[in-house]
Structures are given as C-alpha cells and as structure tokens.
Amino acid sequence: MLSPPTLTVMKKVKHKCIERMSSGTADKLGLTRAVLCNDDLAKKLEEFERNSKFYKDMIVRAHFLLMDFNAAAVVNKGMGDLFAQIACREKCAANEAFTQFADTHRNYHRAAVEFQKKAAPIMNKLGTYLNKAVPDMKLTIKKYADAKFEYLAYCLKIKEMDDEEYTFNSLDDPLPRVEDGNYEYRVVLSCRAQARAHFLQLRSDVRVKLQLLNSKHVQDLTEQLEKWTKVLLQYYEDALAVSQKGNVFPIDIDLSTVVDAQ
C-alpha cells in the first residue's frame, strides 16, 4: 500500500499526463476529461493571478514613491533650517528674504508629510486585498486543485478497472475481483461519487469567491486610485502655492561682510 503523499504525487502526475493527451484519447475518457482538463475556471484563475501581480507591482511602485517623497521632505526641512541660520547673520531685506525662503522649504516639508499621512490609508486599503483576500483565495484554489486531482484519480481508476475487466472478458478468463463480488470496484465507485460531490462544491466556492474578488477589485481599485489622484493633486497645488509665495528674488546681500570675513 502506497503512503498518502505518494498517492497525491501520483494523482498529480496522472492529471498532468491527461492534460497533454490528444483530443481523440481525451474523448475516450468522456466527461471526466471534459470537466477536469478543459476547465473554464483556468482562464479566470489566470486573470486572478494577473490582478494579484498588478496589485503587488502597484503597491511596490507606490511604496517607492512615498520613500522619494519622504527623502525630498527631509531635504527640504534641512534646507529650511540652513536658510534660517543664514537669515540670522543677515540684516534688513536679506534677513527677511532668507527667512521667507526658509519658511518656503519648511512648508514644502509640511506639505510632503501631509501627503504621506493621507496616502498611508490608501496603501493599507490596497494592501488588504493583496495580503488578506489573495492568500485566502489561493488557499481555496489549492483545496479545489487537490479535490480535482482526487476526483480525476478515481475516474482514471474506474477506467483502468473497466479496461481490465474488458480484457479478461475478451480472453474468457475469470477476473478474481469480479468472482469475489467486485467489492473493490464498488468501493471505488462510491469514493468517486463522494470525490465528485466534494469537487463540485469546491468548484462552486471558487466561482463565487472569484466573482466577489473581481467585483471588489474593480470597485475598490477605482475608489482608491481616485483618492490617490486627489491627494497627489492637492500636494502639487499646495507646493505650487508655497512656491508662488516664496518668490523673494533678487536678494540684496552686503558682500562687504563676506570680504571682511575672508
């Protein structure tokens, strides 16, 4: 008797072999091959994988964008502090200009920080789909695939036993299991019926979950991208307003103090 892991591996190998059979050979297997190998769920599962990859790539790119915003915010804050120190050494108009220039860079920093605060919930919402919905769906798909392999294995076993019985009948030789009541064949038939019911139930569950995920994908993605666009637009509008207020050129500097210092 083979161990359960070995049986599972053999079932999957059999399934792969069936998928690569010619159409003529497949027709001889009848409904089994049509239901299991020409599975219309395969295309939907491929679409699900594409959506998952799209979400992952989008979140990675958005993460790098936030990192760039954070780096720019740090630089602007540093420049604001530096211009504030310069303003302390200047007098009159130059002092006022450098002070305003320092405030401008600090406002850039504040605008970037505000953008990151508003963008973080959007990232978390997109991450919920990727980190919770997708793994749950993959677990359901794995259970469905295992049930599919199990059902196919029983169908192939029935086919093998039927072929064996046909061969013995054609040779007018008695088949031991038939003479003993064909108990093994009836057990396999019962197991196939149970496996088929389990397979169809999981198949229905996968269909329902895929439909819900596709609806959620379309609805949530549209909503979150709209929010992201509005937040990003608000940041650029704030940065533009800060830039327009920070136009302090030309700046009058008393160079004699610089020459004297040298």
Side-chain angles (χ1 to χ4, degrees), residues 19 33-45 144 148 199 203 207:
E19 285 184 335
R33 209 269 184 178
V35 170
L36 297 176
C37 299
N38 295 333
D39 196 347
D40 62 340
L41 277 179
K43 293 182 178 179
K44 294 183 179 180
L45 294 178
Y144 164 73
K148 180 178 178 180
F199 160 69
R203 180 184 175 86
R207 284 182 179 276

Side-chain angles (χ1 to χ4, degrees), residues 145-162:
D146 290 341
K148 180 178 178 180
F149 291 136
E150 182 182 9
Y151 177 41
L152 176 59
Y154 283 123
C155 290
L156 292 176
K157 182 64 177 178
I158 292 291
K159 185 71 170 63
E160 291 171 1
M161 297 175 77
D162 288 341

Side-chain angles (χ1 to χ4, degrees), residues 87-96 252 254 257:
C88 293
R89 301 177 183 179
E90 297 296 331
K91 299 178 181 180
C92 301
N95 175 278
E96 183 180 348
D252 295 328
D254 187 2
T257 58

Side-chain angles (χ1 to χ4, degrees), residues 26 29 35 51 54 80 118 142 147 171 174 183 192 209 234 237 250:
L29 293 176
V35 170
N51 289 341
F54 171 76
K118 293 179 179 178
K142 183 180 182 301
L171 297 174
Y183 176 75
R192 185 184 68 171
K209 281 195 173 184
Q234 184 63 47
E237 288 178 347

Side-chain angles (χ1 to χ4, degrees), residues 44-58:
K44 294 183 179 180
L45 294 178
E46 290 176 1
E47 182 181 356
F48 167 72
E49 290 294 338
R50 287 195 300 269
N51 289 341
S52 301
K53 186 178 183 303
F54 171 76
Y55 265 88
K56 184 177 180 179
D57 293 343
M58 181 175 60

